[in-house]
PDB file of all heavy atoms in Angstrom:
ATOM      1  N   GLY B 348     -15.841  36.784  -2.142  1.00 98.00           N
ATOM      2  CA  GLY B 348     -14.444  37.247  -2.229  1.00 98.00           C
ATOM      3  C   GLY B 348     -13.912  37.760  -0.936  1.00 98.00           C
ATOM      4  O   GLY B 348     -14.696  37.912   0.019  1.00 98.00           O
ATOM      5  N   VAL B 349     -12.592  37.951  -0.800  1.00 98.00           N
ATOM      6  CA  VAL B 349     -12.010  38.358   0.416  1.00 98.00           C
ATOM      7  C   VAL B 349     -11.205  39.633   0.207  1.00 98.00           C
ATOM      8  O   VAL B 349     -10.433  39.737  -0.774  1.00 98.00           O
ATOM      9  CB  VAL B 349     -11.111  37.221   1.018  1.00 98.00           C
ATOM     10  CG1 VAL B 349     -10.264  37.725   2.158  1.00 98.00           C
ATOM     11  CG2 VAL B 349     -11.983  36.044   1.486  1.00 98.00           C
ATOM     12  N   LEU B 350     -11.373  40.564   1.116  1.00 98.00           N
ATOM     13  CA  LEU B 350     -10.574  41.803   1.149  1.00 98.00           C
ATOM     14  C   LEU B 350      -9.630  41.606   2.366  1.00 98.00           C
ATOM     15  O   LEU B 350     -10.101  41.410   3.499  1.00 98.00           O
ATOM     16  CB  LEU B 350     -11.464  42.943   1.316  1.00 98.00           C
ATOM     17  CG  LEU B 350     -10.830  44.305   1.282  1.00 98.00           C
ATOM     18  CD1 LEU B 350     -10.586  44.723  -0.165  1.00 98.00           C
ATOM     19  CD2 LEU B 350     -11.703  45.334   1.989  1.00 98.00           C
ATOM     20  N   ALA B 351      -8.356  41.703   2.154  1.00 98.00           N
ATOM     21  CA  ALA B 351      -7.399  41.347   3.295  1.00 98.00           C
ATOM     22  C   ALA B 351      -6.432  42.531   3.539  1.00 98.00           C
ATOM     23  O   ALA B 351      -5.728  42.974   2.670  1.00 98.00           O
ATOM     24  CB  ALA B 351      -6.599  40.149   2.916  1.00 98.00           C
ATOM     25  N   ASN B 352      -6.495  42.986   4.807  1.00 98.00           N
ATOM     26  CA  ASN B 352      -5.577  43.997   5.291  1.00 98.00           C
ATOM     27  C   ASN B 352      -4.251  43.342   5.611  1.00 98.00           C
ATOM     28  O   ASN B 352      -4.096  42.722   6.638  1.00 98.00           O
ATOM     29  CB  ASN B 352      -6.195  44.702   6.504  1.00 98.00           C
ATOM     30  CG  ASN B 352      -5.292  45.790   7.079  1.00 98.00           C
ATOM     31  OD1 ASN B 352      -4.153  45.942   6.645  1.00 98.00           O
ATOM     32  ND2 ASN B 352      -5.824  46.591   7.985  1.00 98.00           N
ATOM     33  N   LEU B 353      -3.284  43.520   4.765  1.00 98.00           N
ATOM     34  CA  LEU B 353      -2.021  42.845   4.875  1.00 98.00           C
ATOM     35  C   LEU B 353      -0.923  43.790   5.388  1.00 98.00           C
ATOM     36  O   LEU B 353       0.315  43.521   5.316  1.00 98.00           O
ATOM     37  CB  LEU B 353      -1.527  42.293   3.541  1.00 98.00           C
ATOM     38  CG  LEU B 353      -2.470  41.204   2.943  1.00 98.00           C
ATOM     39  CD1 LEU B 353      -1.995  40.816   1.554  1.00 98.00           C
ATOM     40  CD2 LEU B 353      -2.464  39.937   3.827  1.00 98.00           C
ATOM     41  N   SER B 354      -1.282  44.930   5.964  1.00 97.00           N
ATOM     42  CA  SER B 354      -0.301  45.829   6.575  1.00 97.00           C
ATOM     43  C   SER B 354       0.562  45.117   7.567  1.00 97.00           C
ATOM     44  O   SER B 354       0.052  44.269   8.295  1.00 97.00           O
ATOM     45  CB  SER B 354      -1.055  46.999   7.217  1.00 97.00           C
ATOM     46  OG  SER B 354      -1.687  47.799   6.300  1.00 97.00           O
ATOM     47  N   PRO B 355       1.804  45.473   7.640  1.00 97.00           N
ATOM     48  CA  PRO B 355       2.708  44.761   8.604  1.00 97.00           C
ATOM     49  C   PRO B 355       2.204  44.854   9.991  1.00 97.00           C
ATOM     50  O   PRO B 355       1.707  45.893  10.479  1.00 97.00           O
ATOM     51  CB  PRO B 355       4.050  45.527   8.436  1.00 97.00           C
ATOM     52  CG  PRO B 355       4.000  45.981   7.047  1.00 97.00           C
ATOM     53  CD  PRO B 355       2.583  46.370   6.785  1.00 97.00           C
ATOM     54  N   PHE B 356       2.268  43.716  10.712  1.00 97.00           N
ATOM     55  CA  PHE B 356       1.698  43.594  12.072  1.00 97.00           C
ATOM     56  C   PHE B 356       2.782  43.063  13.023  1.00 97.00           C
ATOM     57  O   PHE B 356       3.179  41.922  12.982  1.00 97.00           O
ATOM     58  CB  PHE B 356       0.554  42.594  11.971  1.00 97.00           C
ATOM     59  CG  PHE B 356      -0.256  42.430  13.256  1.00 97.00           C
ATOM     60  CD1 PHE B 356      -1.189  43.416  13.620  1.00 97.00           C
ATOM     61  CD2 PHE B 356      -0.090  41.307  14.076  1.00 97.00           C
ATOM     62  CE1 PHE B 356      -1.962  43.246  14.807  1.00 97.00           C
ATOM     63  CE2 PHE B 356      -0.824  41.203  15.256  1.00 97.00           C
ATOM     64  CZ  PHE B 356      -1.730  42.142  15.607  1.00 97.00           C
ATOM     65  N   ARG B 357       3.341  43.989  13.837  1.00 95.00           N
ATOM     66  CA  ARG B 357       4.358  43.630  14.759  1.00 95.00           C
ATOM     67  C   ARG B 357       5.599  42.930  14.169  1.00 95.00           C
ATOM     68  O   ARG B 357       6.120  41.980  14.751  1.00 95.00           O
ATOM     69  CB  ARG B 357       3.772  42.756  15.930  1.00 95.00           C
ATOM     70  CG  ARG B 357       2.711  43.476  16.704  1.00 95.00           C
ATOM     71  CD  ARG B 357       2.056  42.589  17.771  1.00 95.00           C
ATOM     72  NE  ARG B 357       0.880  43.234  18.237  1.00 95.00           N
ATOM     73  CZ  ARG B 357      -0.222  42.652  18.770  1.00 95.00           C
ATOM     74  NH1 ARG B 357      -0.203  41.315  18.872  1.00 95.00           N
ATOM     75  NH2 ARG B 357      -1.254  43.341  19.211  1.00 95.00           N
ATOM     76  N   GLY B 358       5.891  43.345  12.968  1.00 95.00           N
ATOM     77  CA  GLY B 358       7.065  42.707  12.296  1.00 95.00           C
ATOM     78  C   GLY B 358       6.964  43.014  10.788  1.00 95.00           C
ATOM     79  O   GLY B 358       6.090  43.771  10.338  1.00 95.00           O
ATOM     80  N   PRO B 359       7.761  42.289  10.012  1.00 96.00           N
ATOM     81  CA  PRO B 359       7.726  42.601   8.559  1.00 96.00           C
ATOM     82  C   PRO B 359       6.515  42.133   7.893  1.00 96.00           C
ATOM     83  O   PRO B 359       6.145  42.546   6.762  1.00 96.00           O
ATOM     84  CB  PRO B 359       8.984  41.905   8.008  1.00 96.00           C
ATOM     85  CG  PRO B 359       9.328  40.896   9.058  1.00 96.00           C
ATOM     86  CD  PRO B 359       8.811  41.352  10.382  1.00 96.00           C
ATOM     87  N   SER B 360       5.807  41.170   8.498  1.00 98.00           N
ATOM     88  CA  SER B 360       4.672  40.481   7.797  1.00 98.00           C
ATOM     89  C   SER B 360       3.299  40.897   8.339  1.00 98.00           C
ATOM     90  O   SER B 360       3.163  41.537   9.362  1.00 98.00           O
ATOM     91  CB  SER B 360       4.832  38.970   7.932  1.00 98.00           C
ATOM     92  OG  SER B 360       5.732  38.484   6.960  1.00 98.00           O
TER      93      SER B 360
END
Side-chain angles (χ1 to χ4, degrees):
Chain B
V349 169
L350 185 79
N352 180 350
L353 297 174
S354 294
F356 186 77
R357 297 175 193 153
S360 277

